[in-house]
Amino acid sequence: VQLQASGGGLVQPGGSLRLSCAASGNILRIGDMGWYRQVPGKERELVASITTGGRTNYAGSAKGRFTISRDNAKNTLYLQMDSLNVEDTAVYYCNADVTAFVGAWARKDYWGLGTQVTVSS
């Protein structure tokens, strides 16, 4: 199973980015999915999460600016980020609770490699 994150980049304050995370492999089911971010010297923190049914949860810093969504048919997670500010600069990681066949059917928490988001003028 692989989680491939994309969509990061350099954006000016006030700008927008849309992150995507595509899961691939012999996947039976994907449960909760989420976006996390990490800056050097700090712990990885939750940005937003979404259940299979679409129930969402946001960190305080993301509420009103970020929107998490998923396409279950495509095994893909999204994060629309608007009104970005310099404090949003971080490496963004996607996470998913995946049941897949890897030698045997097993449920495991997977992480993508991360995509850099830099907000700077």
Side-chain angles (χ1 to χ4, degrees), residues 60-71:
S61 60
K63 285 181 180 177
R65 300 187 301 126
F66 295 0
T67 303
I68 189 171
S69 61
R70 63 191 287 172
D71 185 332

Side-chain angles (χ1 to χ4, degrees), residues 69-88:
S69 61
R70 63 191 287 172
D71 185 332
N72 292 330
K74 295 181 179 180
N75 289 338
T76 301
L77 176 70
Y78 304 97
L79 184 68
Q80 176 66 41
M81 303 187 294
D82 299 317
S83 302
L84 286 161
N85 57 58
V86 294
E87 289 76 26
D88 296 316

Side-chain angles (χ1 to χ4, degrees), residues 8 38 49 59 64 82 94 110 114:
Q38 189 171 24
S49 63
D82 299 317
C94 56
Y110 287 88

